[in-house]
Amino acid sequence: MRPVRGIVVVALLAGLPLTLAAWPQQAPLFDPTPWSGDCDSIESVPLRQHVNYDTDIQPIWSQRCANCHVDWGEFPEADLDLNPPNSWYFLVDQASSNPNATQIRVVPGQPRQSLLFTKLNCAIQDVGLRMPRARPDLPLDEQALVHDWILAGAPEHGDDTIFRGGFQPRG
Ligand code: HEC
């Protein structure tokens, strides 16, 4: 090996730990809130790495929340407008419109803390009824999509999860 090339190789190897140390660390995605026994288990549905709000989540609202929160008559139920393009703004970091509820509709990163997810996932509610009201419960794969979107930080468009570290068991 010519000396110059050897110096370059040594310099690159020496710099590697520094480069790795400076690489943005992805905190493991984990919602510490315990699962409640009144809620459906989504354990069997593989974790989705990339969830797109516009193409994965909005179609659930448009199909299953119609007449009440989508394409309503006079006012959306519970002041919750799930029509595109408003729905994201009515959900993320928004307080419940119910004066007896203390929950936030969507807490980014914390699905089980989010009123929206518990309304879709759990039989017993602190306030009001399970959604979609008076209709069949959401299939588990749709519940899991909503869960994984919130866990990924509830991004508005596309997905922000390109550095997410692979599939993980649900915790
Ligand atoms: C048949 C009408 C109806 C349908 C369908 C329906 N909802 Fe509701 N929703 C209501 C009513 C009425 C309330 C207020 C009472 C309550 O919380 O139970 C409500 C409340 C909510 C709340 C709580 C809002 C807050 O600020 O407290 C969420 C979240 C919600 N619905 C989500 C959904 C989603 C998501 C769907 C579709 C998957 C859906 N709902 C389908 C009637 C409906």
Side-chain angles (χ1 to χ4, degrees):
M1 192 185 288
R2 295 213 320 269
V4 170
R5 205 189 289 168
I7 289 168
V8 170
V9 169
V10 168
L12 283 178
L13 286 178
L16 190 63
L18 287 176
T19 315
L20 287 177
W23 198 258
Q25 294 292 310
Q26 177 75 24
L29 293 170
F30 178 63
D31 178 350
T33 317
W35 285 97
S36 155
D38 304 321
C39 306
D40 291 347
S41 170
I42 54 168
E43 199 80 21
S44 60
V45 186
L47 192 68
R48 263 280 288 271
Q49 214 172 0
H50 303 287
V51 183
N52 181 300
Y53 185 79
D54 298 325
T55 55
D56 295 317
I57 303 294
Q58 181 63 52
I60 301 176
W61 309 156
S62 298
Q63 184 191 347
R64 303 199 187 267
C65 319
N67 310 125
C68 298
H69 303 286
V70 176
D71 298 332
W72 57 83
E74 211 166 332
F75 300 105
E77 294 288 7
D79 288 331
L80 175 59
D81 175 354
L82 294 181
N83 269 315
N86 305 334
S87 58
W88 187 89
Y89 299 95
F90 274 81
L91 288 171
V92 177
D93 293 323
Q94 299 302 307
S96 164
S97 59
N98 187 317
N100 299 322
T102 53
Q103 291 136 300
I104 302 294
R105 288 173 173 167
V106 170
V107 183
Q110 307 283 298
R112 277 164 271 155
Q113 295 279 347
S114 301
L115 176 65
L116 171 73
F117 182 66
T118 56
K119 281 282 212 193
L120 298 173
N121 179 242
C122 304
I124 298 176
Q125 300 291 325
D126 291 340
V127 180
L129 298 175
R130 186 172 187 169
M131 296 292 144
R133 191 168 167 142
R135 295 187 188 167
D137 299 340
L138 244 54
L140 288 185
D141 61 329
E142 293 183 12
Q143 293 186 33
L145 266 181
V146 175
H147 175 278
D148 295 350
W149 166 66
I150 298 176
L151 191 66
E156 181 180 358
H157 299 293
D159 71 65
D160 300 347
T161 59
I162 48 171
F163 285 117
R164 199 158 148 182
F167 290 90
Q168 299 168 15
R170 295 186 180 281

